[in-house]
Amino acid sequence: MSDASSYVTTLTDEQSLELLATKSFGRLVVRRTNDIDLFPLNYLVHNGKILFRTAEGTKLFSLNLNEDVLFEADHVEHTGETSGDAWSVIVKGTARILRDSEEINAADQLPLTPWLPTLKYNYVEITPDEGGISGRKFALGAEPERY
Amino acid sequence: MSDASSYVTTLTDEQSLELLATKSFGRLVVRRTNDIDLFPLNYLVHNGKILFRTAEGTKLFSLNLNEDVLFEADHVEHTGETSGDAWSVIVKGTARILRDSEEINAADQLPLTPWLPTLKYNYVEITPDEGGISGRKFALGAEPERY
């Protein structure tokens, strides 16, 4: 009987961040008291942290009320109808809005473009928790016969 | 000044489910008492519900302990360096493991393939909450000049 372990490779934090850096579109999950919300967004990996931008007044901006977040990006590449490679990196971390003008000026120099053509003045930085990075690589394939 | 509203279109439930049905790879967010978890998975839209498979004993399988879930799939299509179209559909709903053999036999007939080549006996069905479907289309573009 097949075992998932032979198709799943656990990545190191370094490998996970490297893969994250190859993409620019991910998903932020924010928890509120009795609810969870997910936001698709453009991001940048910088110094082991995840950086994105958001506009004041948006629902997402209210995450300054709840700093524990989850971020995910993934990639699926099909090489055949049922075969291929994929990865998913999930980061549990703490979000912080950059307030210091020096930090903001430094962030302004980074190639981080927002997803939508609207002005977005706020930078948010996610610092991964200790042990909060979880990256996995998958070898996709057809399901084995049941027996 | 640009307004996000001119670049974002809110979709109806029907439009959202139609877009969801064009993809087969999404992300499930599960809440536990003090934690959230995200699982990438293959899904199928059937009768307005989202169906996926999981193996008993996996972390995901334990979602029978917490039926309130969030599901998301999205699509980004770049037509130029900074232009393109994208959509994201988020479904808040209730997850239920199919236990009835008639339901399971019916699900077995659907073209739902698991992501990994391992045996996955359990079907899980997500029924969207009333008002729990939130779909948006985005017209991507370059950021306007700050002034």
Side-chain angles (χ1 to χ4, degrees):
Chain A
M1 184 166 163
S2 299
D3 188 302
S5 60
S6 47
Y7 302 100
V8 182
T9 311
T10 302
L11 305 171
T12 65
D13 288 6
E14 201 176 20
Q15 290 171 325
S16 298
L17 289 172
E18 262 171 33
L19 283 176
L20 268 192
T22 65
K23 304 278 275 190
S24 61
F25 175 66
R27 297 140 205 102
L28 181 75
V29 182
V30 180
R31 194 166 20 139
R32 296 169 209 278
T33 315
N34 271 308
D35 206 13
I36 31 182
D37 264 317
L38 185 150
F39 301 92
L41 48 81
N42 260 13
Y43 70 94
L44 188 83
V45 177
H46 184 64
N47 289 341
K49 297 176 181 186
I50 295 152
L51 198 70
F52 64 91
R53 294 168 73 179
T54 184
E56 203 153 342
T58 59
K59 203 177 175 193
L60 171 53
F61 186 71
S62 71
L63 76 84
N64 61 353
L65 298 174
N66 199 325
E67 61 175 29
D68 285 337
V69 300
L70 183 149
F71 180 83
E72 192 255 7
D74 50 49
H75 181 72
V76 183
E77 198 166 321
H78 284 284
T79 54
E81 203 180 318
T82 56
S83 60
D85 286 303
W87 58 260
S88 167
V89 172
I90 296 167
V91 175
K92 291 185 181 182
T94 306
R96 180 177 72 91
I97 295 169
L98 302 192
R99 304 277 188 198
D100 182 89
S101 60
E102 238 175 82
E103 283 185 314
I104 293 169
N105 289 341
D108 271 338
Q109 307 307 313
L110 298 172
L112 175 64
T113 49
W115 210 29
L116 295 179
T118 49
L119 290 163
K120 299 198 175 166
Y121 285 109
N122 294 286
Y123 287 102
V124 180
E125 178 192 82
I126 301 172
T127 305
D129 295 340
E130 185 77 31
I133 301 177
S134 156
R136 286 174 305 159
K137 240 185 162 158
F138 307 95
L140 308 183
E143 186 178 31
E145 288 296 312
R146 298 189 187 185
Y147 63 96
Chain B
M1 182 167 162
S2 300
D3 189 302
S5 60
S6 47
Y7 303 99
V8 183
T9 312
T10 302
L11 304 171
T12 65
D13 287 5
E14 202 176 20
Q15 291 170 324
S16 298
L17 289 172
E18 262 171 33
L19 283 176
L20 269 192
T22 65
K23 303 278 274 191
S24 61
F25 176 66
R27 296 141 206 101
L28 180 75
V29 182
V30 180
R31 192 166 23 139
R32 297 168 209 279
T33 315
N34 271 309
D35 206 14
I36 32 182
D37 264 317
L38 186 151
F39 302 92
L41 48 80
N42 259 11
Y43 70 94
L44 188 84
V45 178
H46 184 64
N47 290 340
K49 298 176 181 185
I50 294 152
L51 198 69
F52 63 90
R53 294 167 74 180
T54 184
E56 203 152 341
T58 59
K59 203 176 175 192
L60 172 53
F61 187 72
S62 72
L63 76 83
N64 60 355
L65 299 173
N66 201 322
E67 61 175 29
D68 286 337
V69 299
L70 183 149
F71 180 82
E72 193 254 7
D74 50 49
H75 181 71
V76 182
E77 199 166 320
H78 284 282
T79 54
E81 202 181 319
T82 57
S83 59
D85 286 304
W87 58 260
S88 167
V89 172
I90 296 166
V91 175
K92 291 184 181 183
T94 306
R96 179 176 73 90
I97 294 171
L98 303 193
R99 304 277 188 196
D100 183 89
S101 61
E102 238 174 82
E103 283 184 316
I104 292 169
N105 289 340
D108 271 338
Q109 307 307 313
L110 299 172
L112 175 64
T113 49
W115 209 30
L116 295 180
T118 50
L119 290 163
K120 299 201 176 167
Y121 284 109
N122 294 286
Y123 287 103
V124 180
E125 178 192 83
I126 301 172
T127 305
D129 294 340
E130 185 78 32
I133 301 176
S134 155
R136 287 173 306 160
K137 241 186 161 154
F138 307 94
L140 307 183
E143 186 179 30
E145 287 296 313
R146 297 188 187 187
Y147 63 96

